[in-house]
Amino acid sequence: MSRPMARSDVNRSAILAHLGAHGPASRAELARALAVSPALMTQLTKDLIADGLISEREQQASQGGRPARMLGLVAEAGRAVGVKVAADHVAFVEVGIDGGVVRTASEPFEAASTTMLTELVGLLRRFIDGGADTPLLGIGVGVPGEVDAQASGVVNSTQLGWRNAPIGDTLRRELRMPVLVENNVNALAMAERLYGLGQRHRSFLVVTIGTGVGAAIVIDGLVVRGTSGGAGEIGHIPVRETGPVCSCGGIGCLETFVGEAGLVRTARERGVIGASAGIAALRSAAASGDAAAVAVFEEAGHLLGRTLAGLVHALDPEIIIVLGEGTADWEHWSFGFEPAFRAALMASRRGLPVAVESWQDDSWAQGAATLVLATPFDAEGLAGEQGDLVRQRLVTQAGVAGDGASGSASPGGAR
Amino acid sequence: MSRPMARSDVNRSAILAHLGAHGPASRAELARALAVSPALMTQLTKDLIADGLISEREQQASQGGRPARMLGLVAEAGRAVGVKVAADHVAFVEVGIDGGVVRTASEPFEAASTTMLTELVGLLRRFIDGGADTPLLGIGVGVPGEVDAQASGVVNSTQLGWRNAPIGDTLRRELRMPVLVENNVNALAMAERLYGLGQRHRSFLVVTIGTGVGAAIVIDGLVVRGTSGGAGEIGHIPVRETGPVCSCGGIGCLETFVGEAGLVRTARERGVIGASAGIAALRSAAASGDAAAVAVFEEAGHLLGRTLAGLVHALDPEIIIVLGEGTADWEHWSFGFEPAFRAALMASRRGLPVAVESWQDDSWAQGAATLVLATPFDAEGLAGEQGDLVRQRLVTQAGVAGDGASGSASPGGAR
DNA sequence: TACGGTTTGTTTAGTCCTGAACTAAGGGGA
DNA sequence: TCCCCTTAGTTCAGGACTAAACAAACCGTA
């Protein structure tokens, strides 16, 4: 009993998110990290402990003063689901409130089908029902393409063949659950910011290589979405005056040279692989030391390096993080990438770190899940009303999802 | 008497800045614009009127309800000085609190001289002393190069030959006055945001063409400074695999083709102008219809167009604003720019507006001055302690500048 | 000309949060 | 061992701000 009638929910959930992202922390630490006074932190944590959302842990050894009494999340406080949508399949991930993966699944899925919306709802429903009994905070969906806004979720994607697909609204209505939709690379960038290298950097670039080439731009801790949610489309930066026509209609786009299709085309033209062979053949050829195959990757690395150098001059980030299925071959890319990238940078930036991270199959979906867990950090309201709903669920352990169009955000009594 | 011991200075000065930027407004309008409650606005404006900083104007015709009682700045509330530093001269501008130019001056100045710091102090002191009697809020300095932080003001500039020049600290100490230093293009972008096209756009690019090529990036209303204050260096984006060596050490940099020196070099190589002729000769040749001269500009426009298209793909801005001395020849540039730029964009962005603004000689200095006037909008503390000092002067009509190293921000009694 | 609709501005009660002073609990040096 | 230093956490008075109700001033319209 004695719910103190919800203090500042924003701060309450920010505390929970911080503990989830960085592990247990002392009150003083939290106050510093969230830029509030220690006094307030005392009050808020008192409430959270009373509500059973966090608990006091053992003391930590003193660092010259009074030892800190650590606070940690009560693990059962919540879970989130992430969905990766691709042209031919969807991948699901269930994560705990600490970001750790609990459960995964993958299902065939025809994105271009006319019934894909009901299909998606059914698959998601089945995955959710198989989950734990802890409260589900929300669903994050990562898609390759432009998303108008996380809280709305209208998607345009040439890769999926979607034009103004109302993913967000449909899922919200059918599942009665907060749903956040975002470009998949942007979602990945938020994951890096919360759990990865981004924790220690205010501004960075996340670059993905694979079927296509994408990027997400994080400036001062905020993901740049652009006017129409289409920022980061570095695959269509023009890098040559001539070349094959790109899917975007342009000529000389980066992606036509360094995307998977571009690599395969180049390799075929040069007879490195057979006329009907694919990326797998090119990979194995390079792996077995075929110089011509390695050269294909090397040249792609060269082009990527010069392009990224241009972006570095424009944005002056602290680090570049390279991700994606394509990083498996980075060994070969780097022969071209490193010299081209470094040479094109001005002297003062030549030492810019480039981190190439290993890639797992669930990474995309995991990134999508962090859309939900990142909500409390969402200072400028990227997630909008949906973010508020997630926060409500987080702090009250109950709360009912808005029902479709502008659902009245009823507080929802204690369960 | 009866100074109410300074309420929220941030909000007080935000009101003043809004009135300065957008002209007189009603209380209700201000409350909406600054996202505070009407109740608070009543209180704050009462204080500001009592302090003589703003005054009530005539009523405005009703718009269906009670007519608004407009509030306007008391013009004498303050002034700011802007300085443009170039290699061979400095330009000064004095602006009123509404951003209007009051007075200008230009003096020869040897930036590479060893005594340049004392020189600059002397010139500035003379300019300031000639000004009006209204309180001087601060000094904004625009430089071509990297600035570590506005509030610090350590400058690195190849154009000026400065390495770690402590401009900010020196001026602060000598003039006992808040001083804000910023890259000149970034300063220009802030001016656009406050008084220009940026008022109606959240994200935009400001591109300057002239001696060099520069850009400033504004995302969601915030100027992107980058890790070391060096964002926007689009002049060094690599655009060709071959070409002359750039001042940055790179090869194929945009600036080596479309900067003034690059244009002149190309024109000389082709015999369009004499081997010792300069940009003026190229200009007049193009103006008189010389096809080869026009082609030089056209090709520059082509390269700039493709490069900016790449940036648009990466950042997805709402508009591009082109400025700088070079816009005088834009008529010729556009022959190459428009087709190259539009063709390289994906279909959904092909209609992106590009605004080419006329250019006056004081524009750089005027941009620098708005560094000071923009302080109240400085939500994320770009201007730091110096911004606080400006705010103090604005709201108290007095206040003494910090004296060099971490001056204690003493409130300073009424004058 | 009475009445609802609309927008502006003010008052009041109460919430959120901070600053300052304080207690608590350790470490290390003379 | 005593004293000073440092860090952690709490209490309390008070300031900034808001929500909600209300008053003011105009518009239409029936």
Side-chain angles (χ1 to χ4, degrees):
Chain A
M1 65 197 153
S2 92
R3 180 170 308 292
M5 210 36 92
R7 283 172 175 280
S8 158
D9 279 4
V10 176
N11 263 337
R12 277 170 64 98
S13 57
I15 293 171
L16 297 175
H18 185 91
L19 293 177
H22 304 280
S26 69
R27 281 167 249 259
E29 227 172 303
L30 286 169
R32 282 191 300 267
L34 303 180
V36 298
S37 64
L40 178 60
M41 195 49 67
T42 295
Q43 292 180 30
L44 293 178
T45 52
K46 196 189 296 172
D47 290 358
L48 285 170
I49 290 173
D51 288 356
L53 290 173
I54 65 177
S55 63
E56 209 158 87
R57 304 291 158 85
E58 76 291 351
Q59 285 198 177
Q60 206 171 35
S62 160
Q63 285 154 318
R66 171 175 171 175
R69 281 144 64 194
M70 306 300 278
L71 298 170
L73 273 186
V74 172
E76 292 74 27
R79 60 187 176 117
V81 164
V83 186
K84 167 214 178 175
V85 181
D88 58 350
H89 72 283
V90 284
F92 301 103
V93 165
E94 181 183 319
V95 300
I97 201 170
D98 58 347
V101 174
V102 176
R103 197 163 56 94
T104 70
S106 185
E107 302 276 354
F109 175 69
E110 186 119 10
S113 150
T114 51
T115 60
M116 67 88 180
L117 268 174
T118 53
E119 191 84 11
L120 185 60
V121 168
L123 291 172
L124 241 173
R125 195 170 273 150
R126 219 165 64 216
F127 182 77
I128 291 171
D129 287 348
D133 207 28
T134 53
L136 181 52
L137 300 177
I139 297 172
V141 182
V143 296
E146 286 185 12
V147 182
D148 63 338
Q150 283 185 14
S152 160
V154 177
V155 180
N156 279 291
S157 168
T158 52
Q159 270 185 66
L160 301 180
W162 291 357
R163 279 191 64 79
N164 294 322
I167 301 300
D169 271 353
T170 307
L171 294 181
R172 265 191 287 280
R173 193 177 51 244
E174 294 293 329
L175 301 171
R176 308 186 68 77
M177 180 79 53
V179 174
L180 297 169
V181 188
E182 181 58 286
N183 171 276
N184 51 8
V185 189
N186 284 351
L188 222 45
M190 301 194 67
E192 282 294 330
R193 189 169 85 69
L194 274 186
Y195 306 113
L197 287 169
Q199 282 181 65
R200 274 182 300 281
H201 299 285
R202 292 176 51 75
S203 302
F204 57 93
L205 257 44
V206 173
V207 177
T208 61
I209 55 180
T211 316
V213 185
I217 299 164
V218 177
I219 300 284
D220 290 335
L222 295 175
V223 174
V224 176
R225 300 195 77 257
T227 304
S228 51
E233 289 284 355
I234 67 166
H236 302 292
I237 293 180
V239 295
R240 290 267 186 273
E241 293 283 341
T242 58
V245 175
C246 178
S247 62
C248 77
I251 285 176
C253 290
L254 177 66
E255 190 165 302
T256 61
F257 300 106
V258 308
E260 250 179 37
L263 296 177
V264 169
R265 181 181 45 76
T266 308
R268 284 181 186 165
E269 281 173 9
R270 297 184 187 171
V272 178
I273 58 177
S276 61
I279 186 75
L282 180 60
R283 278 190 168 153
S284 62
S288 63
D290 180 337
V294 171
V296 172
F297 287 113
E298 187 178 330
E299 286 164 30
H302 174 92
L303 264 181
L304 184 68
R306 281 180 75 85
T307 309
L308 290 189
L311 271 183
V312 168
H313 283 140
L315 295 168
D316 194 13
E318 286 173 39
I319 186 173
I320 294 180
I321 304 171
V322 181
L323 289 173
E325 291 84 352
T327 55
D329 306 303
W330 185 255
E331 179 197 356
H332 306 310
W333 288 67
S334 67
F335 290 139
F337 180 88
E338 278 295 327
F341 180 67
R342 305 294 171 191
L345 289 178
M346 55 178 74
S348 60
R349 300 186 193 168
R350 204 156 287 160
L352 189 81
V354 176
V356 182
E357 298 200 332
S358 66
W359 185 255
Q360 285 130 16
D361 219 36
D362 320 317
S363 300
W364 287 120
Q366 206 180 340
T370 59
L371 290 175
V372 177
L373 300 181
T375 332
F377 287 128
D378 177 23
E380 280 320 307
L382 268 190
E385 186 190 311
Q386 293 304 305
D388 294 340
L389 290 174
V390 172
R391 276 192 281 272
Q392 258 175 47
R393 283 167 170 252
L394 190 57
V395 296
T396 66
Q397 297 274 30
V400 180
D403 37 306
S406 73
S408 61
S410 61
R415 189 166 39 178
Chain B
M1 80 252 81
S2 91
R3 180 169 307 291
M5 211 34 97
R7 284 171 176 279
S8 158
D9 280 3
V10 175
N11 263 337
R12 278 169 65 97
S13 57
I15 294 171
L16 297 175
H18 185 92
L19 293 177
H22 304 280
S26 70
R27 280 165 249 258
E29 226 173 305
L30 285 170
R32 281 192 300 267
L34 304 180
V36 298
S37 65
L40 178 60
M41 194 49 67
T42 295
Q43 291 180 31
L44 293 177
T45 52
K46 195 189 296 174
D47 289 358
L48 285 170
I49 291 173
D51 288 355
L53 289 173
I54 64 177
S55 63
E56 210 159 84
R57 304 291 157 85
E58 76 292 349
Q59 285 197 179
Q60 207 172 33
S62 160
Q63 286 155 319
R66 171 175 172 174
R69 279 145 65 196
M70 306 301 279
L71 299 169
L73 274 185
V74 172
E76 293 74 27
R79 59 188 175 116
V81 164
V83 186
K84 166 211 177 176
V85 181
D88 59 349
H89 71 284
V90 285
F92 302 102
V93 165
E94 181 183 318
V95 299
I97 200 169
D98 57 347
V101 174
V102 176
R103 197 162 57 93
T104 71
S106 184
E107 303 275 355
F109 175 69
E110 187 117 13
S113 149
T114 51
T115 60
M116 68 87 181
L117 267 175
T118 52
E119 190 84 11
L120 184 59
V121 168
L123 290 172
L124 241 174
R125 195 169 272 148
R126 221 165 62 215
F127 182 76
I128 291 171
D129 287 348
D133 207 26
T134 54
L136 181 53
L137 300 176
I139 297 172
V141 182
V143 296
E146 286 185 12
V147 181
D148 63 338
Q150 283 186 14
S152 160
V154 178
V155 180
N156 279 290
S157 169
T158 51
Q159 271 186 63
L160 301 180
W162 290 359
R163 280 191 61 81
N164 294 324
I167 301 301
D169 271 354
T170 306
L171 293 182
R172 267 191 286 280
R173 192 176 52 244
E174 295 293 328
L175 301 171
R176 309 187 66 77
M177 179 81 54
V179 174
L180 297 168
V181 188
E182 182 57 286
N183 170 276
N184 50 9
V185 189
N186 284 351
L188 222 45
M190 302 194 67
E192 282 294 330
R193 189 168 86 69
L194 274 186
Y195 306 112
L197 287 169
Q199 282 181 66
R200 274 181 301 281
H201 299 284
R202 293 177 51 75
S203 302
F204 56 94
L205 257 45
V206 173
V207 177
T208 61
I209 55 178
T211 317
V213 184
I217 299 164
V218 177
I219 301 284
D220 290 335
L222 295 176
V223 174
V224 176
R225 300 195 77 257
T227 303
S228 51
E233 289 284 357
I234 66 167
H236 302 292
I237 292 180
V239 295
R240 290 267 185 272
E241 292 284 342
T242 57
V245 175
C246 177
S247 61
C248 77
I251 285 176
C253 290
L254 178 66
E255 189 164 303
T256 60
F257 299 107
V258 308
E260 249 179 37
L263 296 176
V264 168
R265 181 181 45 77
T266 308
R268 283 181 186 164
E269 280 172 11
R270 298 187 186 169
V272 178
I273 56 176
S276 60
I279 187 75
L282 179 60
R283 277 190 167 152
S284 61
S288 62
D290 181 337
V294 171
V296 172
F297 287 113
E298 188 180 328
E299 286 164 29
H302 175 91
L303 265 181
L304 183 68
R306 281 180 74 84
T307 308
L308 290 189
L311 271 183
V312 169
H313 283 141
L315 296 168
D316 194 13
E318 287 173 39
I319 186 174
I320 295 180
I321 304 171
V322 181
L323 290 172
E325 291 84 353
T327 56
D329 306 303
W330 185 254
E331 180 197 356
H332 306 311
W333 288 67
S334 67
F335 290 138
F337 179 88
E338 278 295 326
F341 179 67
R342 304 295 171 189
L345 288 179
M346 55 178 74
S348 60
R349 299 186 191 167
R350 203 156 287 158
L352 190 83
V354 176
V356 182
E357 298 200 332
S358 65
W359 185 255
Q360 286 130 14
D361 219 36
D362 319 318
S363 299
W364 287 119
Q366 206 180 337
T370 61
L371 290 175
V372 177
L373 300 181
T375 333
F377 288 126
D378 177 22
E380 281 321 307
L382 269 189
E385 186 189 314
Q386 293 303 304
D388 294 341
L389 291 173
V390 172
R391 276 192 279 272
Q392 256 175 49
R393 284 168 170 250
L394 191 56
V395 296
T396 65
Q397 297 274 29
V400 181
D403 37 306
S406 73
S408 61
S410 60
R415 187 162 51 174

